[in-house]
Amino acid sequence: MISRYWIKSKVKLFALFILITLTVSAIYLYLMNLQEKRTVQSSGERCMSELASLKYQLNEVTQYKDRIDKLLTETQKAHEAEKERFKDIMESCVAMKQQSTLCQSQFEDLQSECKKVRDDYNKLKKSINT
């Protein structure tokens, strides 16, 4: 009888052990599942937060790029205007140099003409006095 009782007791104890093991395993799996859900939810929230931050940074960089592009365009326009102005000034200088050369030539011609007239005048004056 003792051995039957002892075997029944062992079987009951083993069944109790299995039941406790299954219960603890079920609780452990449930808690792990909860932890995983929280981790996934936390990761999702962090991901959305980082996405919003990146979106803000991208917007800032885009605005900065647009300002730089605008400044570059304005600088290029100013450069083209200065280049055109320089070209006009250079053309004006060339024209003034040509005008100066022409005036110099006319001045020399007039000096020559004046000398000739003076020589003729002196000849006439001399011939009148004699």
Side-chain angles (χ1 to χ4, degrees), residues 3-118:
S3 68
R4 260 181 159 182
Y5 177 74
W6 192 69
I7 291 176
K8 280 185 180 180
S9 171
K10 268 187 165 185
V11 168
K12 284 182 181 178
L13 189 60
F14 182 70
L16 185 61
F17 176 73
I18 295 292
L19 183 64
I20 290 174
T21 303
L22 288 175
T23 305
V24 169
S25 295
I27 291 172
Y28 175 76
L29 290 174
Y30 175 73
L31 290 176
M32 289 301 291
N33 188 24
L34 277 179
Q35 179 68 27
E36 190 174 317
K37 283 182 181 178
R38 286 182 186 154
T39 303
V40 168
Q41 186 179 10
S42 173
S43 294
E45 289 171 357
R46 189 175 72 238
C47 184
M48 291 304 290
S49 173
E50 288 180 16
L51 183 63
S53 176
L54 286 174
K55 188 176 179 181
Y56 175 77
Q57 290 175 5
L58 179 62
N59 189 30
E60 288 295 313
V61 168
T62 302
Q63 288 177 358
Y64 183 70
K65 179 200 162 285
D66 291 344
R67 285 193 303 264
I68 288 176
D69 285 345
K70 183 180 177 185
L71 183 61
L72 177 62
T73 302
E74 290 172 358
T75 303
Q76 285 174 333
K77 285 180 183 177
H79 176 70
E80 287 298 319
E82 284 295 315
K83 192 174 170 183
E84 193 63 34
R85 185 171 169 256
F86 179 75
K87 182 180 171 187
D88 291 345
I89 289 172
M90 289 305 293
E91 288 174 358
S92 176
C93 285
V94 168
M96 290 172 99
K97 186 172 182 180
Q98 290 173 346
Q99 184 70 27
S100 172
T101 303
L102 181 65
C103 286
Q104 182 69 30
S105 175
Q106 287 175 345
F107 177 73
E108 289 171 357
D109 289 346
L110 285 173
Q111 275 186 327
S112 171
E113 196 67 36
C114 185
K115 185 177 179 186
K116 196 177 195 183
V117 168
R118 189 177 292 137

Side-chain angles (χ1 to χ4, degrees), residues 116-130:
K116 196 177 195 183
V117 168
R118 189 177 292 137
D119 286 344
D120 288 346
Y121 172 75
N122 284 335
K123 283 182 188 175
L124 273 173
K125 191 175 171 185
K126 203 177 206 187
S127 82
I128 291 179
N129 283 340
T130 37

